Amino acid sequence: MNYFYALILYCIYQFKGERSIKAVQYLLTGKKSTQTLQDAVWYSLQHLYSVYPEMDADAFIYTVKKLEKTGSIVISDKTVTLTDSGKKVLSELMSGYPIPDHLNGWQFHKIEQLFWQRLTLLIQILTNWAYSETKFIPVVRDYPIQNWVKRWLGEKRQIYNKKQLSLRLYRELFIIFEICEQNRENPDYIVARFTGYQKPGYTSTQIAKQAAVDETYYLLAFRSCLHFMIKTIWHERGEFPILSSLLADRKSPWTLTSSSWETYKFLKYGKNVEEIAKFRKLKKSTIEDHIIEIALLDPTFSIETYVKPETQKRITEAVNLLQTRKLKTIKDYLTDIDYFSIRLVLSKMNDKNDV
């Protein structure tokens, strides 16, 4: 079995038989819906949110059918459950290749591609400049990325000449790659994809084959290393002025939908749910969905305005007692507490299970 099986089985394991097989697909591909965001947080799967956006839908269906046929999972109308046989398969797969340590799709899925495209295009340009070559096919065809890098180079060229800029970038990459290795990340997975002077970068399929690992595992390991790089560079900006400047225009790791952001602005002005719903001509339930999204994505957002501390405690105790994140089960147990309050408290809870 390939690592794609392990990824699907792990999500099903975390869902505890309370979510559908579609929920797994939406989580891994990063569907931007309140339900999928809730699933990521409620079932401690933030690290896997949007880590496989290139997933082929047909391949997913084929794999799910095979897992069902071999008795690893059981699918009903609304849920999917991991069998004892499936748990054994998952344990065996994970023992050899656990999920990479620094994978964090929740925090970095919005900026990983941006950072990677800017970095890889910059490296291609600088390596070609080193050979006095100015005409080449850019590895990144996205015009906004090309224009951004062109402006960035224009600004840096006012401070450094070409050689100085290349040396400073090389130094920072050398240091960050050393730190990656010290933290059990493999920078070779990153370097192999760089395109240089008359040297195209390798594809994920080629790298996986050379490293003798499954391609799905390689993609996760690549992202894990990239996420670790971004996190380290951002927190140590003084040590990495060139690399961190590739993300200087990114102020926040979390991004709300435009409608939820509008609601958030009203909340900051002290407006309540009813007032916002009336002003925006939206249903109260829609505004509540926005608040759930805000609570999920903004770690600084306090829910005490909406749920009293004693109610939060009761919900938390019920969740731990019932060992479930299923809303209806919790609501049936706490009949006097509304769904909105339960969803808010769940959005601030995290209880990761180990395989």
Side-chain angles (χ1 to χ4, degrees), residues 302-309 312:
S302 174
I303 65 173
E304 288 195 8
T305 302
Y306 311 96
V307 192
K308 295 178 181 178
Q312 292 183 42

Side-chain angles (χ1 to χ4, degrees), residues 203-298:
T203 66
S204 58
T205 303
Q206 291 172 326
I207 299 169
K209 187 175 181 180
Q210 290 174 1
V213 297
D214 178 79
E215 188 172 353
T216 299
Y217 180 79
Y218 163 73
L219 289 170
L220 295 184
F222 168 80
R223 282 195 166 90
S224 180
C225 190
L226 195 61
H227 293 173
F228 179 77
M229 283 178 63
I230 294 170
K231 180 180 178 180
T232 305
I233 290 164
W234 189 253
H235 287 298
E236 303 291 339
R237 292 190 283 278
E239 186 70 23
F240 303 101
I242 299 297
L243 287 172
S244 64
S245 68
L246 296 179
L247 290 172
D249 57 334
R250 298 290 133 173
K251 305 299 181 185
S252 173
W254 51 273
T255 307
L256 296 169
T257 57
S258 57
S259 189
S260 293
W261 182 247
E262 286 299 313
T263 293
Y264 202 5
K265 287 192 284 188
F266 279 106
L267 292 175
K268 288 181 176 181
Y269 282 118
K271 302 298 182 182
N272 60 37
V273 173
E274 289 76 13
E275 290 172 330
I276 299 171
K278 184 177 180 180
F279 187 86
R280 298 196 61 196
K281 296 182 173 60
L282 295 172
K283 294 180 180 178
K284 179 185 175 184
S285 59
T286 301
I287 302 301
E288 289 179 344
D289 280 345
H290 293 166
I291 294 173
I292 295 295
E293 185 181 334
I294 294 164
L296 288 165
L297 293 174
D298 184 359

